[in-house]
Structure formats: structure tokens, C-alpha cells
């Protein structure tokens, strides 16, 4: 019955559609840009670029795609910035046939993408691997970066750290099998490493669905990205940057231990703030969304003395009523899906329909959970 159910409904695909819908409602559009030489990059860009607003680029880490890591944070920044949310190469809709796998090549492609869209000055938030790329972009193009946020990004790691037992894993092969999970057990292991309080009971069919939808593309190329991060890496070869930088870290991060955060702060030196979030692991943007958003806003918005552009009517309503259009429409989308289920009830077997209804209620509960997480 579960195999038949999985063919009828995919929770991961449903959430992915919901995020896509929310990005569109937020005023962004999906664009694939050909950078030439076999490289294309997908990015969510503003439908209308406002020249009076600064630009903010949100760069994801190893995970599903950019939408899943930043979907819940659009509402905090959409009124203050021209938002750009790219998929890095081999994630989402981005790909290259070139052999380069370093974060410096990722940063170069990201810079080309921004130039294509007319963005020559920007602030950047990078989570985990996205922080590696963001740091490299700031080192290569210092005139472009205004502010930089690095979240649980082990930029200062060295190849010898693996041999010295700094990490929970003992080899790159073991790290790859966890960070690129292909079985429910490996995904559970990733959850245990990423969260302080991971979900205890998650059905295997649920995890298999997520893996099938989100974790099966470009596996070999992603392994090569991980290898490139560690190979011959030495702190003495890491260039220094001189831009206002916020380092954010989960106190109990088991993927990139907190020691790497302290190491990064010492390496950058001045112009650096560091925030340690308690009771949070590597996935601090999911575990502690309120604190995560608050620190980002304090650094990126409150410290910006430039005059903001006049708010639109929608933005004025949001500010007046503390109302979130993105989640409002997402909630109605979930409700419409539920109504469709009721109409389709005669077609399904009773047990199958009951299972579909449970999944819908779970989906709706997540929507309302997100509504209350501001």
C-alpha cells in the first residue's frame, strides 16, 4: 500500500512546489543564464530590480536546493533588498561541463552571473558550503562585496584536521556518504550530525521520497566538490579579506566544529563579528530561525545607513498588519490541495485516502508552524 501511495504523492515534491510558489509570490522569478563554455546557472532574481535598494545574494550549502534553505527568510529581506538566490553548480538547475570543482570556480561563475544581471555591488550570506563560495568571492572581488555573512562555514579547515580527529567522520569517503545520502540510514545519520534535537521517528518511506526527489542528481560531481574543499588545504594559503563580516555558528555543530569558527575569526581579524547560537547545530537556520533572522537583520539592515526606497502598497500592508503574503498564499495552496483530496476521495481506497489526508495535515501543520515562527 505504501509503494502505491508513494506513486500518488511525494511530500518532498509538494514542498518543493510550495517553495517555488512562495518565491514567485514574493516578487522573484526563476531564470537560467548561459554563462558560456558549457556552464549554466539558475537563479531567483527580482521581477523588477529597484535601483534604490542594495542587492543581497543568498548562497546555499550542501542540501536540497536554494529554495529549501532560504524559503522561510524571503519575508525578512524582500522589502529591503533586491534579492538574488542562486543554485550553485550541480545543485538545482545549475550545471557545468567544465572540469573545475573548486569553490573559487563556483565564486567566479557566481560573479559572472551577477554581472549578467547588472549587479556590481552586493552583500552576501553563505551557509556552510555557500560560505566557502562567498569567502572566495570576497577574496577574488573585494570591490564587489559590501557585507559578508558566513554561517557554519569551515573555511579555515585544513586537510590535516581530518587525520587529527577534528571531525566526527574519519575519512572523506565517509563524509561523502553522509552529506550525499542515498539510503534512509545515511539521511538519519546526517540529521543526527546536523541537528541538536533531530526527529526521532521518521518513516523510511518518507526519507526515501526526499532522497529520490532531492539527492539523486549529479552525485559524482558533488563528491568531487567535497574532495576539492579538503585537498591540500592549508590555512596559510587562505587569503585574508577586509570586509565587514558576520560569523554565525551553532554551538554544537558536529559537521564543522565551533573551533573552526574561532579559527576563522582570528584569521580575518578586524571588521569581524561572531555570534554563537546556543542549542543549535550545523543546521542553525532550521533549528533557530528566529535568532538566525534576527542576527542577519541586525547586521545587514540596521547597520545600513543608506535611505531606503519608498515601500510598495503590499509592503505597507505587511508592515501595518504584520502580515506575510508569502505564507498566506502558501497556506491557501495547502488548503486548496486539501479540498482536492476531498473531491478525489471516492477514487481512492479508504486506507490510501486516510494516508493522504494524514500527509496533508502534516503539510498544513508545517505551514502553520512556519506562520508562528516570526
Amino acid at each position: 500500500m505504501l509503494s502505491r501511495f508513494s506513486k500518488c504523492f511525494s511530500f518532498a515534491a509538494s514542498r518543493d512546489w510550495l517553495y517555488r510558489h512562495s518565491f514567485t509570490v514574493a516578487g522573484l522569478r526563476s531564470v537560467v543564464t548561459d554563462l558560456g563554455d558549457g556552464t549554466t546557472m539558475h537563479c531567483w532574481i527580482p521581477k523588477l530590480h529597484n535601483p534604490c535598494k542594495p542587492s543581497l545574494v543568498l548562497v546555499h550549502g550542501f542540501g536540497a536546493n536554494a529554495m529549501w534553505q532560504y524559503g522561510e527568510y524571503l519575508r525578512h529581506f524582500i522589502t529591503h533588498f533586491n534579492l538574488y538566490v542562486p543554485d550553485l553548480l550541480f545543485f538545482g538547475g545549475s550545471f557545468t561541463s567544465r572540469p573545475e570543482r573548486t569553490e573559487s570556480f563556483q565564486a567566479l561563475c557566481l560573479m559572472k552571473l551577477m554581472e549578467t544581471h547588472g549587479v556590481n555591488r552586493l552583500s552576501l550570506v553563505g551557509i556552510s558550503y555557500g560560505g566557502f563560495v562567498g569567502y572566495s568571492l570576497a577574496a577574488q572581488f573585494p570591490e564587489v562585496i559590501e557585507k559578508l555573512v558566513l554561517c557554519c562555514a569551515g573555511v579555515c579547515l585544513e586537510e590535516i584536521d581530518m587525520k587529527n580527529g577534528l571531525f566526527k567522520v574519519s575519512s572523506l569517503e565517509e563524509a561523502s556518504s553522509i552529506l550525499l545520502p542515498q539510503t534512509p540510514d545515511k539521511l538519519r545519520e546526517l540529521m543526527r550530525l546536523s541537528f541538536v534535537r533531530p526527529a526521532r521517528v521518521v518513516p523510511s518511506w518518507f526519507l526515501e521520497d526526499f532522497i529520490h526527489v532531492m539527492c539523486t542528481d549529479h552525485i559524482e560531481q558533488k563528491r568531487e566538490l567535497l574532495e576539492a574543499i579538503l585537498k591540500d588545504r592549508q590555512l596559510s594559503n587562505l587569503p585574508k579579506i577586509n570586509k565587514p563580516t558576520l560569523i554565525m555558528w551553532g554551538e554544537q555543530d558536529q559537521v564543522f566544529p565551533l573551533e573552526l569558527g574561532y579559527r576563522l575569526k582570528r584569521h580575518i581579524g578586524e571588521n569581524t563579528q561572531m555570534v554563537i547560537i546556543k542549542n543549535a547545530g550545523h543546521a542553525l537556520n532550521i533549528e533557530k530561525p528566529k535568532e538566525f533572522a534576527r542576527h542577519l537583520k541586525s547586521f545587514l539592515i540596521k547597520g545600513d545607513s543608506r535611505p531606503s526606497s519608498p515601500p510598495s502598497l503590499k509592503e505597507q500592508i505587511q508592515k501595518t498588519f504584520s502580515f506575510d503574503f508569502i505564507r498566506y498564499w502558501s497556506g491557501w495552496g495547502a488548503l486548496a490541495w486539501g479540498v482536492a483530496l476531498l473531491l478525489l476521495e471516492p477514487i481512492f481506497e479508504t486506507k490510501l485516502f486516510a494516508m493522504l489526508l494524514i500527509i496533508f495535515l502534516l503539510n498544513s501543520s508545517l505551514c502553520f508552524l512556519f506562520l508562528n515562527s516570526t
Side-chain angles (χ1 to χ4, degrees):
M1 195 267 285
L2 286 178
S3 61
R4 181 178 173 183
F5 161 74
S6 63
K7 293 178 182 179
C8 297
F9 174 81
S10 167
F11 178 82
S14 174
R15 290 301 298 173
D16 198 61
W17 177 88
L18 198 58
Y19 279 129
R20 188 173 297 277
H21 177 65
S22 70
F23 271 60
T24 302
V25 172
L28 304 179
R29 61 189 178 96
S30 174
V31 174
V32 176
T33 303
D34 187 348
L35 301 181
D37 205 13
T39 302
T40 57
M41 288 193 74
H42 170 264
C43 186
W44 288 94
I45 70 172
K47 292 178 181 177
L48 294 174
H49 181 94
N50 187 337
C52 296
K53 291 181 179 180
S55 295
L56 177 63
V57 180
L58 305 176
V59 188
H60 66 87
F62 264 80
N65 55 42
M67 293 188 301
W68 284 67
Q69 292 198 344
Y70 288 110
E72 309 308 323
Y73 294 96
L74 298 182
R75 59 202 174 92
H76 294 291
F77 303 106
I78 199 70
T79 61
H80 301 278
F81 297 96
N82 292 302
L83 281 186
Y84 293 84
V85 191
D87 284 325
L88 295 175
L89 297 175
F90 306 118
F91 296 88
S94 298
F95 178 81
T96 185
S97 59
R98 290 174 61 96
E100 292 92 336
R101 297 293 182 264
T102 62
E103 68 259 33
S104 61
F105 179 68
Q106 291 268 18
L108 179 62
C109 292
L110 181 56
M111 190 65 245
K112 288 182 179 179
L113 177 69
M114 292 297 101
E115 289 175 344
T116 300
H117 294 297
V119 179
N120 299 309
R121 293 283 290 170
L122 57 92
S123 292
L124 185 146
V125 178
I127 295 177
S128 193
Y129 180 67
F132 284 75
V133 177
Y135 191 97
S136 181
L137 192 147
Q140 293 184 67
F141 308 98
E143 72 284 356
V144 170
I145 294 291
E146 294 183 335
K147 293 182 178 182
L148 180 65
V149 182
L150 304 172
C151 307
C152 297
V155 177
C156 281
L157 67 83
E158 297 186 289
E159 186 172 15
I160 197 172
D161 287 329
M162 183 75 76
K163 297 178 182 178
N164 290 342
L166 179 64
F167 305 109
K168 290 286 185 179
V169 295
S170 58
S171 67
L172 185 61
E173 291 73 21
E174 184 182 358
S176 296
S177 70
I178 296 172
L179 293 174
L180 303 171
Q182 297 301 297
T183 66
D185 286 342
K186 287 299 180 182
L187 185 50
R188 288 189 182 95
E189 194 169 349
L190 177 59
M191 292 167 63
R192 286 193 294 270
L193 286 175
S194 300
F195 296 91
V196 173
R197 295 183 180 87
R200 293 185 178 181
V201 181
V202 184
S204 291
W205 62 264
F206 185 93
L207 299 177
E208 288 172 352
D209 170 62
F210 182 86
I211 292 169
H212 174 72
V213 175
M214 294 295 172
C215 305
T216 55
D217 292 335
H218 309 305
I219 298 299
E220 188 56 39
Q221 291 91 338
K222 289 176 182 176
R223 286 198 180 100
E224 292 169 356
L225 293 179
L226 289 173
E227 291 173 3
I229 288 176
L230 196 62
K231 186 178 181 181
D232 299 326
R233 196 176 192 96
Q234 293 183 337
L235 182 58
S236 59
N237 296 331
L238 185 69
K240 290 195 175 184
I241 60 175
N242 185 28
K243 292 293 178 180
T245 303
L246 172 65
I247 299 172
M248 231 189 309
W249 224 276
E251 185 181 38
Q252 300 180 50
D253 191 338
Q254 298 184 79
V255 176
F256 290 131
L258 183 56
E259 162 58 26
L260 293 176
Y262 291 126
R263 193 186 293 180
L264 180 58
K265 188 177 189 305
R266 291 192 298 268
H267 182 75
I268 298 177
E270 297 181 1
N271 281 336
T272 307
Q273 304 174 34
M274 185 169 182
V275 172
I276 301 171
I277 298 183
K278 295 184 180 298
N279 298 317
H282 189 67
L284 57 83
N285 57 311
I286 300 174
E287 283 193 296
K288 298 291 182 177
K290 292 182 182 180
E291 291 182 53
F292 184 76
R294 184 174 72 250
H295 290 300
L296 285 181
K297 289 161 69 175
S298 177
F299 179 72
L300 294 170
I301 299 173
K302 292 182 181 179
D304 195 338
S305 59
R306 289 173 297 190
S308 59
S309 58
S312 65
L313 177 61
K314 184 176 82 170
E315 292 168 354
Q316 292 181 48
I317 294 173
Q318 284 178 313
K319 184 175 181 180
T320 302
F321 296 100
S322 300
F323 193 71
D324 188 341
F325 274 81
I326 299 172
R327 297 169 192 272
Y328 170 81
W329 287 111
S330 296
W332 275 112
L335 181 60
W337 190 73
V339 172
L341 272 181
L342 292 175
L343 295 176
L344 291 172
E345 189 272 340
I347 301 175
F348 295 115
E349 296 176 4
T350 303
K351 291 183 179 179
L352 178 58
F353 175 72
M355 183 64 73
L356 286 169
L357 189 58
I358 290 172
I359 297 300
F360 161 68
L361 292 174
L362 176 61
N363 211 2
S364 300
S365 298
L366 284 173
C367 284
F368 285 111
L369 176 63
F370 294 147
L371 272 169
N372 293 322
S373 64
T374 54

